[in-house]
Coordinates of all heavy atoms in Angstrom, one line a residue:
Chain B
K69 N 13.6 21.6 13.5 CA 13.6 22.9 12.9 C 13.2 22.8 11.4 O 13.9 22.0 10.7 CB 15.0 23.6 13.0 CG 15.4 24.0 14.4 CD 16.8 24.6 14.3 CE 17.4 24.7 15.7 NZ 17.5 23.4 16.4
V70 N 12.2 23.5 11.1 CA 11.8 23.5 9.6 C 11.7 24.9 9.2 O 11.1 25.8 9.8 CB 10.5 22.7 9.4 CG1 10.2 22.8 7.9 CG2 10.6 21.3 9.8
L71 N 12.3 25.2 8.1 CA 12.3 26.6 7.5 C 11.4 26.6 6.3 O 11.3 25.7 5.5 CB 13.8 26.9 7.0 CG 14.0 28.0 6.0 CD1 13.7 29.3 6.6 CD2 15.4 27.9 5.5
A72 N 10.6 27.7 6.3 CA 9.8 27.9 5.1 C 10.2 29.2 4.4 O 10.3 30.2 5.1 CB 8.3 28.0 5.5
G73 N 10.5 29.2 3.1 CA 10.8 30.4 2.4 C 9.7 30.6 1.3 O 9.3 29.6 0.7
V74 N 9.2 31.8 1.2 CA 8.2 32.1 0.2 C 8.7 33.0 -0.8 O 9.3 34.1 -0.5 CB 6.9 32.7 0.9 CG1 5.8 33.0 -0.1 CG2 6.4 31.9 2.1
K75 N 8.6 32.7 -2.0 CA 8.9 33.6 -3.1 C 7.6 33.9 -3.9 O 6.8 33.0 -4.1 CB 9.9 32.9 -4.1 CG 11.3 32.8 -3.6 CD 12.0 34.1 -3.4 CE 12.3 34.9 -4.6 NZ 12.9 36.2 -4.3
I76 N 7.5 35.1 -4.3 CA 6.4 35.5 -5.2 C 7.0 35.8 -6.6 O 8.0 36.6 -6.7 CB 5.7 36.8 -4.6 CG1 5.3 36.6 -3.2 CG2 4.6 37.2 -5.5 CD1 3.9 36.2 -2.9
D77 N 6.4 35.2 -7.6 CA 6.9 35.4 -8.9 C 5.7 35.7 -9.9 O 4.6 35.4 -9.5 CB 7.6 34.2 -9.4 CG 9.1 34.2 -9.0 OD1 9.7 35.2 -8.9 OD2 9.6 33.1 -8.8
V78 N 6.0 36.2 -11.0 CA 5.0 36.4 -12.0 C 4.9 35.0 -12.7 O 6.0 34.4 -13.0 CB 5.4 37.5 -13.1 CG1 4.3 37.6 -14.1 CG2 5.7 38.8 -12.4
A79 N 3.7 34.6 -12.9 CA 3.6 33.2 -13.5 C 2.4 33.3 -14.6 O 1.6 34.2 -14.6 CB 3.2 32.2 -12.4
E80 N 2.4 32.3 -15.4 CA 1.3 32.1 -16.3 C 0.3 31.3 -15.6 O 0.6 30.3 -14.9 CB 1.8 31.3 -17.6 CG 2.9 32.0 -18.4 CD 2.5 33.4 -19.0 OE1 1.3 33.6 -19.3 OE2 3.4 34.2 -19.1
P81 N -1.0 31.7 -15.7 CA -2.0 30.9 -15.0 C -2.2 29.5 -15.7 O -1.8 29.4 -16.8 CB -3.3 31.8 -15.2 CG -3.0 32.6 -16.4 CD -1.6 32.8 -16.5
F82 N -2.8 28.6 -14.9 CA -3.1 27.3 -15.6 C -4.3 27.6 -16.5 O -5.1 28.4 -16.3 CB -3.5 26.3 -14.5 CG -2.4 25.9 -13.6 CD1 -2.4 26.2 -12.3 CD2 -1.3 25.2 -14.2 CE1 -1.3 25.8 -11.5 CE2 -0.3 24.8 -13.4 CZ -0.2 25.1 -12.0
S83 N -4.3 26.8 -17.6 CA -5.2 27.1 -18.7 C -6.7 27.0 -18.2 O -7.6 27.7 -18.7 CB -4.9 26.2 -19.9 OG -5.0 24.9 -19.5
D84 N -6.9 26.1 -17.3 CA -8.3 25.9 -16.8 C -8.7 26.9 -15.7 O -9.8 26.9 -15.3 CB -8.5 24.5 -16.4 CG -7.5 24.0 -15.3 OD1 -6.4 24.6 -15.3 OD2 -7.8 23.1 -14.6
R85 N -7.7 27.7 -15.3 CA -8.0 28.7 -14.2 C -7.3 30.0 -14.5 O -6.4 30.3 -13.9 CB -7.5 28.1 -12.9 CG -8.4 26.9 -12.5 CD -8.0 26.2 -11.4 NE -8.8 25.0 -11.3 CZ -8.8 24.2 -10.3 NH1 -8.0 24.4 -9.3 NH2 -9.5 23.1 -10.3
P86 N -7.8 30.6 -15.6 CA -7.1 31.8 -16.1 C -7.0 33.0 -15.2 O -6.1 33.8 -15.3 CB -7.9 32.2 -17.4 CG -9.2 31.6 -17.2 CD -9.0 30.4 -16.3
N87 N -7.9 33.1 -14.2 CA -7.9 34.2 -13.3 C -7.3 33.9 -11.9 O -7.5 34.7 -11.0 CB -9.3 34.8 -13.2 CG -9.9 35.1 -14.5 OD1 -9.3 35.6 -15.4 ND2 -11.2 34.6 -14.7
E88 N -6.7 32.8 -11.8 CA -6.2 32.4 -10.4 C -4.7 32.4 -10.4 O -4.1 32.0 -11.3 CB -6.7 31.0 -10.1 CG -8.2 31.0 -9.7 CD -8.6 29.6 -9.3 OE1 -7.7 28.8 -8.9 OE2 -9.8 29.4 -9.3
G89 N -4.2 32.9 -9.2 CA -2.8 32.8 -9.0 C -2.4 31.4 -8.8 O -3.2 30.5 -8.7
V90 N -1.1 31.2 -8.8 CA -0.6 29.8 -8.6 C 0.0 29.6 -7.2 O 0.6 30.5 -6.7 CB 0.6 29.6 -9.7 CG1 1.2 28.2 -9.5 CG2 0.0 29.7 -11.1
F91 N -0.3 28.5 -6.6 CA 0.3 28.2 -5.3 C 0.9 26.9 -5.3 O 0.4 25.9 -5.9 CB -0.9 28.2 -4.3 CG -0.5 27.8 -2.9 CD1 0.4 28.5 -2.1 CD2 -1.0 26.6 -2.3 CE1 0.8 28.1 -0.9 CE2 -0.7 26.2 -1.0 CZ 0.2 27.0 -0.3
M92 N 2.2 26.8 -4.8 CA 2.9 25.6 -4.9 C 3.8 25.4 -3.7 O 4.4 26.3 -3.2 CB 3.8 25.6 -6.1 CG 4.1 24.3 -6.7 SD 5.2 24.5 -8.2 CE 4.0 24.7 -9.4
V93 N 3.8 24.1 -3.2 CA 4.6 23.8 -2.0 C 5.6 22.7 -2.4 O 5.2 21.7 -3.0 CB 3.8 23.4 -0.8 CG1 4.7 23.0 0.4 CG2 2.7 24.4 -0.4
N94 N 6.8 22.9 -2.1 CA 7.8 21.9 -2.3 C 8.6 21.7 -1.0 O 8.6 22.5 -0.1 CB 8.8 22.3 -3.4 CG 8.3 22.0 -4.7 OD1 8.1 20.8 -5.1 ND2 8.0 23.0 -5.5
S95 N 9.2 20.5 -0.9 CA 10.0 20.3 0.3 C 11.3 19.6 0.0 O 11.5 18.9 -0.9 CB 9.2 19.6 1.4 OG 9.5 18.2 1.3
E96 N 12.3 19.9 0.9 CA 13.6 19.4 0.7 C 14.1 18.9 2.1 O 14.1 19.6 3.1 CB 14.5 20.6 0.2 CG 16.0 20.3 0.1 CD 16.4 19.7 -1.2 OE1 15.7 20.0 -2.2 OE2 17.3 18.9 -1.2
F97 N 14.5 17.6 2.1 CA 15.1 17.1 3.4 C 16.6 17.3 3.2 O 17.2 16.4 2.6 CB 14.7 15.6 3.5 CG 13.2 15.4 3.9 CD1 12.3 16.4 3.8 CD2 12.8 14.2 4.5 CE1 10.9 16.2 4.2 CE2 11.5 14.0 4.9 CZ 10.6 15.0 4.7
T98 N 17.1 18.3 3.8 CA 18.5 18.6 3.5 C 19.4 17.5 4.2 O 19.0 17.1 5.3 CB 18.9 20.0 4.1 OG1 18.7 20.0 5.5 CG2 18.1 21.1 3.5
P99 N 20.5 17.1 3.6 CA 21.4 16.1 4.2 C 21.9 16.6 5.6 O 22.4 15.8 6.4 CB 22.5 16.0 3.2 CG 22.0 16.5 1.9 CD 21.0 17.5 2.3
S100 N 21.8 17.9 5.8 CA 22.3 18.4 7.1 C 21.4 18.0 8.3 O 21.8 18.1 9.4 CB 22.4 20.0 7.1 OG 22.7 20.4 5.8
A101 N 20.1 17.7 8.0 CA 19.1 17.6 9.0 C 19.2 16.3 9.7 O 18.6 16.1 10.8 CB 17.7 17.8 8.4
H102 N 19.8 15.3 9.1 CA 19.8 13.9 9.8 C 20.8 13.1 9.1 O 21.0 13.2 7.9 CB 18.4 13.3 9.6 CG 18.1 12.1 10.5 ND1 18.6 10.8 10.2 CD2 17.5 12.0 11.7 CE1 18.2 10.0 11.2 NE2 17.6 10.7 12.1
P103 N 21.5 12.3 9.9 CA 22.6 11.5 9.3 C 22.2 10.5 8.2 O 22.9 10.2 7.4 CB 23.2 10.7 10.5 CG 22.2 10.8 11.6 CD 21.5 12.1 11.4

Side-chain angles (χ1 to χ4, degrees):
Chain B
K69 289 178 195 60
V70 179
L71 160 69
V74 183
K75 285 299 290 178
I76 305 266
D77 274 327
V78 182
E80 299 299 329
F82 291 114
S83 56
D84 54 339
R85 295 174 187 187
N87 305 315
E88 287 184 15
V90 175
F91 173 64
M92 206 181 273
V93 180
N94 275 296
S95 95
E96 173 86 30
F97 286 17
T98 64
S100 325
H102 197 276

